[in-house]
Amino acid sequence: MPRESAEDAKRVQQLSAEARMPSPHLTIIDSRGTVTITDADDVSRTLHTDGNDDYLKIHDLPITAATVRDSGHVVVRYKVEQGRELRYTYTRETAGPKLTVDIQFVEGGRVADTVRRVYDLIGPEDPFPTPVVTSKTESGAGGTLPAIPQPAAAPAATPNAAPPEPFNQQPDAELKGLTRLGIVIEGVGAQAASCGLTEASLQAAVAGKLKSAGFTVLTNTDEDSYVYVNVITGSLSTGSCVSRFDVTVSTHTTARLSYQPSPVLVQVSLLHRGGMSAGATAGHAAAVVKGVSEYLDEFIARIKAANK
């Protein structure tokens, strides 16, 4: 079997993250021959509906997609890697009015998992609602697509219930006011050290990047907002090093969950990116630090934009 490349691994991670963590709203322009989809991060992709390949760049990652119209649906096939694809089917329901987005994880011609999103169609001045997402794992035999589960009905409103508390619905509103961050580094052990990567060097790089951007960096405190970096490193039989790294900006808050009567303390992931680096031992540590730093640059730009 062909060995998965670092680029293929990044593509799998990126597209899977989009499917599992949907954009809270979408802007779709459907014109003759093309469909343009823009997510909540203002990332747009224009797809030609003639069935030919479109060569896209999503977060600087090259991705191939083929789009067709089929019985009133728009079907987009993202080619993840050899033998694997993500299949999106967009359907506008006139009865709602709603937009359903059915996502199928296809491996070796069989559907391994399915996800359904349901969006309300809104006007430009309406507040953005939250999409309903359901998922189900099925084996799928002989290439037959399994049925996609229907989302659960919303609970009936409680008489005389208090109206929901208003909240800031601007993009990246949760990042506004974020100026102090702790740092947590995990996973950098003996295997990483043998590839030249140490926890101290990685922490110094993260702290330097944040301080140069004007953040107050806190150590040895219980700061509730922090940058979390997790690295898993291994070695190949050829002597090369391979590291998977994830960078997350997290915070804690109290929230009243729908299935509990009292507020509880929860961890919230504000920003997340993950990637992989592989290569000779000599330059491996520098490559991992560079990848982590590039993700931090993205996060810093979004936080600064939210604070303008």
Side-chain angles (χ1 to χ4, degrees):
M1 296 179 61
R3 180 175 296 174
E4 182 180 61
S5 67
E7 185 174 276
D8 284 342
K10 289 182 179 180
R11 191 177 295 109
V12 170
Q13 192 276 334
Q14 174 66 39
L15 291 175
S16 296
E18 285 189 4
R20 305 282 183 191
M21 302 174 65
S23 173
H25 63 268
L26 298 173
T27 302
I28 300 178
I29 301 174
D30 188 356
S31 58
R32 181 178 299 177
T34 63
V35 175
T36 300
I37 303 172
T38 304
D39 63 18
D41 295 326
D42 288 329
V43 177
S44 297
R45 62 199 72 175
T46 298
L47 306 163
H48 295 82
T49 57
D50 56 6
N52 294 324
D53 286 345
D54 284 309
Y55 300 96
L56 311 173
K57 261 203 167 181
I58 303 175
H59 297 295
D60 294 326
L61 188 65
I63 294 176
T64 303
T67 307
V68 296
R69 298 184 188 273
D70 182 15
S71 301
H73 312 292
V74 173
V75 181
V76 185
R77 295 171 51 238
Y78 291 100
K79 300 176 182 179
V80 182
E81 59 181 350
Q82 184 176 350
R84 302 178 73 181
E85 69 178 40
L86 274 179
R87 191 177 303 162
Y88 280 65
T89 301
Y90 296 84
T91 306
R92 180 169 179 169
E93 298 180 357
T94 56
K98 295 182 182 295
L99 174 76
T100 60
V101 185
D102 295 326
I103 309 167
Q104 296 166 329
F105 294 74
V106 182
E107 298 183 6
R110 303 198 309 176
V111 176
D113 196 15
T114 61
V115 176
R116 166 166 284 189
R117 308 180 195 168
V118 180
Y119 291 91
D120 290 319
L121 295 179
I122 62 174
E125 304 303 324
D126 296 330
F128 290 123
T130 301
V132 177
V133 182
T134 61
S135 65
K136 184 177 181 180
T137 302
E138 300 193 13
S139 59
T144 302
L145 303 183
I148 298 175
Q150 297 292 332
T158 303
N160 302 321
E165 185 178 354
F167 61 94
N168 190 339
Q169 299 182 36
Q170 295 296 318
D172 286 339
E174 69 277 9
L175 304 178
K176 190 173 181 63
L178 189 60
T179 60
R180 297 157 55 92
L181 288 168
I183 300 175
V184 178
I185 309 291
E186 287 187 351
V188 184
Q191 187 65 62
S194 68
C195 292
L197 182 65
T198 65
E199 181 176 325
S201 63
L202 188 55
Q203 178 153 344
V206 173
K209 177 71 68 173
L210 295 175
K211 288 178 180 178
S212 65
F215 288 89
T216 300
V217 178
L218 305 173
T219 57
N220 301 320
T221 68
D222 292 330
E223 180 65 20
D224 62 358
S225 300
Y226 57 94
V227 175
Y228 173 73
V229 181
N230 181 266
V231 182
I232 301 175
T233 303
S235 297
L236 302 178
S237 58
T238 58
S240 298
C241 296
V242 179
S243 287
R244 161 75 195 198
F245 50 90
D246 288 89
V247 187
T248 307
V249 177
S250 296
T251 191
H252 291 86
T253 188
T254 55
R256 186 182 298 276
L257 304 177
S258 61
Y259 51 87
Q260 291 187 355
S262 303
V264 294
L265 181 67
V266 295
Q267 179 176 318
V268 180
S269 175
L270 301 175
L271 297 163
H272 174 264
R273 290 293 302 275
M276 182 175 291
S277 179
T281 303
H284 186 69
V288 172
V289 171
K290 180 176 182 292
V292 171
S293 297
E294 288 176 350
Y295 290 160
L296 287 175
D297 285 337
E298 292 183 26
F299 295 169
I300 290 168
R302 287 183 59 179
I303 294 170
K304 287 187 173 181
N307 282 278
K308 289 183 178 178

